[in-house]
């Protein structure tokens, strides 16, 4: 079982970080550079394979241990991990990556596992998790706020990611919803109050696809789900085949109730809609369970508004 962790202070440079990933791969599987924009880290452990997609910049700058999405599954449950990292906004559209997955399919790589799960968070990585799941028929997919495509005809509403819209989304693995046809189950988590994210989610359809709303949580769902380990519980539920909307709500209930940005968004929305009493209730709860000073400030402001005018 691989258990080594390295603190960020141990990385003197990006090269040192990559050298560490190379050593992990050399000792427990492989680490390969796939052209200029992608890399693959494989850690062989158990009979369940978690395939994740991540951004190199996020892993290097924002994680405590410099390890990519899904590595905790290796450490906690001895699952195997295949992580694909993108350097920059590549959207995983690269012939080198296509050839890499072709090779794995030719070698029956995915057939060696009892279960395969694809995981991605955010428009780009969530898209990739759905798109590349086609290489392992029968896999399960958990995708957070994925884009469906950036092709102008299929997603004319998409005005973000202007540079990436020049990429070709009409060749292999291009339209992610079609790539899910062979999956056992795919769960698409999205915020229905984010118009662009909801528009992409609506393109994911099929008897094996379930769209699960996570209201008022924004387009970047990973931080809230990672904050108290909910993402790990969701992956476990995906592995067990019991991740349904009710189970999702049960897993994320405390997460939502204790995450400051989510509570602040609820409070702000209540104020915008003219519901000061509801905003106050959210502020009372937020002040109690978080250290965010904005809730105390809102309580103070609401008290000043509610004070009766002085008698002269």
């Amino acid at each position: 079982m691989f258990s080594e962790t390295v603190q960020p202070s141990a990385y003197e440079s990006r090269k040192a970080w990559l050298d560490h990933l190379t050593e992990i791969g050399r000792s427990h599987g492989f680490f390969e550079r796939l052209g200029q924009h992608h890399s693959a880290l494989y850690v062989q452990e158990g009979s369940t394979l978690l395939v994740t997609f991540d951004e190199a910049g996020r892993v290097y700058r924002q994680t405590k241990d410099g390890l990519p999405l899904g590595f905790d599954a290796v450490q906690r449950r001895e699952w195997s991990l295949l992580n694909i990292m993108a350097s920059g906004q590549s959207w995983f559209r690269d012939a080198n990556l296509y050839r890499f997955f072709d090779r794995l399919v030719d070698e029956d790589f995915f057939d060696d596992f009892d279960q395969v799960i694809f995981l991605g968070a955010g428009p780009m990585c969530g898209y990739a998790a759905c798109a590349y799941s086609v290489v392992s028929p029968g896999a399960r997919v958990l995708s957070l706020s994925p884009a469906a495509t950036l092709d102008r005809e299929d997603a004319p509403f998409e005005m973000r990611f202007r540079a990436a819209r020049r990429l070709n989304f009409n060749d292999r693995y291009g339209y992610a919803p079609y790539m899910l046809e062979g999956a056992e189950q795919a769960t698409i988590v999205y915020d229905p109050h984010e118009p662009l994210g909801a528009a992409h989610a609506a393109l994911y359809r099929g008897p094996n696809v379930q769209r699960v709303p996570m209201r008022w949580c924004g387009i970047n769902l990973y931080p809230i789900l990672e904050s108290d380990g909910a993402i790990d519980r969701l992956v476990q539920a995906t592995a067990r085949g019991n991740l349904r909307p009710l189970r999702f709500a049960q897993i994320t209930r405390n997460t939502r109730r204790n995450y400051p940005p989510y509570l602040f968004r609820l409070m702000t929305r209540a104020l915008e809609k003219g519901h000061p009493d509801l905003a106050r209730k959210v502020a009372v709860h937020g002040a109690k369970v978080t250290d965010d000073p904005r809730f105390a400030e809102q309580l103070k402001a609401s008290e000043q508004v509610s004070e009766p005018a002085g008698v002269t």
Side-chain angles (χ1 to χ4, degrees):
M1 164 85 184
F2 181 81
S3 61
E4 179 186 0
T5 58
V6 175
Q7 298 302 314
S9 60
Y11 302 123
E12 297 178 356
S13 65
R14 190 181 182 93
K15 180 180 181 302
W17 169 64
L18 289 173
D19 286 345
H20 180 65
L21 294 181
T22 301
E23 182 56 34
I24 292 174
R26 182 182 296 114
S27 301
H28 303 278
F30 62 75
F31 180 76
E32 292 186 21
R33 301 299 298 269
L34 307 174
Q36 296 182 342
H37 304 295
H38 300 94
S39 63
L41 172 65
Y42 172 57
V43 179
Q44 183 178 8
E45 286 289 345
S47 60
T48 293
L49 174 67
L50 181 61
V51 183
T52 67
F53 296 81
D54 213 332
E55 298 179 57
R58 186 201 75 84
V59 178
Y60 177 60
R61 298 187 185 96
Q62 300 178 22
T63 61
K64 296 179 181 179
D65 50 19
L67 298 174
L69 176 65
F71 204 93
D72 55 347
V74 178
Q75 298 170 318
R76 295 180 183 181
R77 291 186 294 280
E78 298 188 24
W79 286 3
S80 295
L81 172 72
L82 175 62
N83 170 260
I84 309 298
M85 278 195 298
S87 178
Q89 296 297 301
S90 73
W91 282 79
F92 301 92
R93 309 296 299 146
D94 190 324
N96 293 290
L97 195 53
Y98 308 160
R99 286 192 289 270
F100 171 74
F101 277 107
D102 286 345
R103 191 185 81 207
L104 295 186
V105 172
D106 290 342
E107 295 173 352
D108 297 323
F109 174 83
F110 297 101
D111 295 338
D112 289 338
F113 298 94
D114 295 337
Q115 182 172 223
V116 180
I117 300 167
F118 284 75
L119 172 64
M124 183 175 81
C125 296
Y127 157 83
C130 295
Y132 285 100
S133 68
V134 70
V135 302
S136 181
R140 293 172 180 161
V141 182
L142 175 59
S143 183
L144 311 179
S145 298
T149 178
L150 295 188
D151 179 72
R152 295 178 186 275
E153 291 190 8
D154 292 323
F157 53 83
E158 179 58 84
M159 302 304 294
R160 305 166 296 177
F161 320 117
R162 291 183 181 275
R165 284 171 68 87
R166 294 195 293 266
L167 297 171
N168 183 3
F169 283 82
N170 289 310
D171 59 358
R172 303 183 63 192
Y173 308 106
Y175 188 65
Y178 287 168
M179 301 298 104
L180 290 176
E181 291 181 354
E184 179 177 329
Q185 183 188 63
T187 301
I188 308 299
V189 185
Y190 70 104
D191 185 344
H193 299 290
E194 289 285 343
L196 295 180
H200 279 286
L203 297 175
Y204 286 94
R205 304 170 184 173
N208 61 341
V209 176
Q210 60 177 352
R211 297 190 296 269
V212 180
M214 195 170 181
R215 293 175 173 82
W216 306 118
C217 292
I219 199 71
N220 190 6
L221 300 179
Y222 180 73
I224 181 173
L225 294 174
E226 191 269 342
S227 63
D228 69 346
I231 186 69
D232 181 65
R233 296 191 293 276
L234 291 173
V235 171
Q236 288 187 66
T238 300
R240 294 170 182 150
N242 65 0
L243 183 59
R244 300 290 185 269
L246 176 59
R247 182 61 182 140
F248 181 90
Q250 293 170 340
I251 290 174
T252 61
R253 181 175 183 272
N254 286 335
T255 303
R256 294 191 302 269
R257 287 176 56 84
N258 295 289
Y259 190 64
Y262 169 72
L263 294 173
F264 183 75
R265 191 176 290 112
L266 281 184
M267 183 182 71
T268 302
R269 184 66 174 175
L271 290 171
E272 291 173 348
K273 289 294 185 179
H275 302 297
D277 291 341
L278 176 58
R280 178 177 173 77
K281 289 180 180 179
V282 176
V284 169
H285 176 74
K288 179 180 179 181
V289 301
T290 77
D291 296 325
D292 194 318
R294 293 177 295 182
F295 299 112
E297 292 171 1
Q298 175 56 35
L299 287 175
K300 184 177 180 180
S302 65
E303 290 171 357
Q304 292 173 347
V305 170
S306 62
E307 287 178 358
V311 178
T312 58

